[in-house]
């Protein structure tokens, strides 16, 4: 079940989420219209996929990938297209990524910090992704559940915060990892004319 942001039961949560998006990512979002509260990140992610993907649409995802992504894409009758990350640092190879796009590409899935590798995509890598999404006119669906769990000097940057990306990015996130409530009951989708899912 998805509770919409206008519901009186979740409005306080949406107000806090909007303030957090502004503070942490510089994003201006409307707490009344830009969020959907879900029962978990997997449900939020599935909702994003089902909202955007039509049968036969291709969805790029980075390999290795969290296993739920492929299942959701296939349930929506989309076609998962894997783009390998280069070990041992799991870097994005720009040429491989750009050659993966076709006229059927509808979305790119980005999980950063990445599960299962722990990789935090760099600003340079995110710029490659954002420029490709804009040039190919496709969506980005992000899984940012680990955004506050980074190590060393790595800092999470939301893809939606880059120029031209807020209007084409759906962010999914969750309280579960940051607040140690896995299997928890609250995740959200931030959607600004598609923009966010948490």
């Amino acid at each position: 079940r998805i509770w919409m942001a206008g519901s009186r039961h979740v409005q306080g949560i949406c107000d806090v989420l909007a303030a957090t998006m502004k503070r942490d990512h510089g994003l201006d979002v409307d707490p009344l219209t830009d969020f959907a509260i879900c029962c978990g990140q997997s449900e939020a992610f599935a909702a994003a996929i089902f909202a955007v993907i039509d049968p036969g649409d291709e969805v790029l995802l980075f390999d290795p990938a969290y296993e739920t992504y492929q299942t959701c894409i296939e349930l929506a009758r989309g076609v998962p297209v894997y783009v390998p990350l280069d070990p041992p640092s799991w870097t994005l190879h720009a040429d491989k990524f750009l050659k993966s796009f076709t006229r059927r590409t509808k979305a790119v899935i980005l999980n950063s910090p990445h599960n299962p590798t722990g990789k935090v995509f760099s600003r340079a890598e995110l710029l490659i992704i954002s420029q490709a999404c804009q040039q190919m006119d496709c969506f980005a669906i992000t899984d940012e559940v680990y955004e506050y769990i980074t190590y060393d000097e790595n800092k999470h940057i939301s893809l939606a915060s880059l120029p031209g990306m807020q209007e084409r990015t759906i962010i999914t996130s969750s309280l579960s990892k940051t607040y140690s409530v896995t299997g928890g009951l609250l995740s959200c989708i931030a959607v600004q004319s598609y923009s966010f899912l948490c």
Side-chain angles (χ1 to χ4, degrees):
R1 178 172 176 202
I2 299 176
W3 293 277
M4 298 312 288
S7 170
R8 63 184 170 83
H9 303 294
V10 298
Q11 192 54 55
I13 295 167
C14 293
D15 293 339
V16 170
L17 290 171
T20 301
M21 296 298 261
K22 179 68 173 174
R23 181 193 72 217
D24 294 353
H25 305 298
L27 298 171
D28 290 311
V29 294
D30 186 337
L32 295 174
T33 60
D34 294 347
F35 293 93
I37 304 300
C38 302
C39 290
Q41 189 280 336
S42 293
E43 182 184 65
F45 182 83
I49 291 292
F50 296 147
V52 171
I53 302 305
D54 293 315
D57 286 343
E58 293 178 358
V59 181
L60 303 186
L61 57 163
F62 298 106
D63 190 24
Y66 182 57
E67 67 272 2
T68 300
Y69 303 156
Q70 178 177 333
T71 302
C72 288
I73 294 164
E74 290 174 344
L75 284 171
R77 298 167 124 183
V79 179
V81 176
Y82 285 92
V83 179
L85 296 173
D86 291 340
S89 298
W90 307 104
T91 52
L92 172 63
H93 188 282
D95 194 48
K96 287 180 196 173
F97 174 61
L98 297 173
K99 286 181 177 177
S100 298
F101 282 88
T102 72
R103 63 178 185 78
R104 298 287 310 164
T105 304
K106 184 79 167 275
V108 174
I109 306 302
L110 174 66
N111 174 216
S112 181
H114 187 256
N115 179 4
T117 67
K119 175 206 179 33
V120 177
F121 282 74
S122 69
R123 178 173 289 280
E125 290 172 319
L126 294 174
L127 284 170
I128 292 167
I129 296 167
S130 70
Q131 290 166 0
C133 286
Q134 292 173 72
Q135 288 170 358
M136 299 304 292
D137 192 26
C138 67
F139 292 100
I141 301 172
T142 66
D143 173 350
E144 301 183 20
V145 298
Y146 295 105
E147 69 179 303
Y148 299 109
I149 305 172
T150 60
Y151 301 94
D152 302 323
E153 298 301 314
N154 294 314
K155 182 180 182 329
H156 169 71
I157 301 168
S158 179
L159 186 64
S161 70
L162 298 180
M165 287 307 292
Q166 183 170 344
E167 59 275 358
R168 67 176 61 249
T169 302
I170 302 172
I171 298 171
T172 66
S173 193
S174 175
L175 295 174
S176 65
K177 305 304 185 279
T178 302
Y179 296 98
S180 300
V181 287
T182 52
L185 301 176
L186 175 67
S187 286
C188 68
I189 299 174
V191 198
Q192 180 181 352
S193 51
Y194 290 123
S195 274
F196 301 75
L197 290 172
C198 300

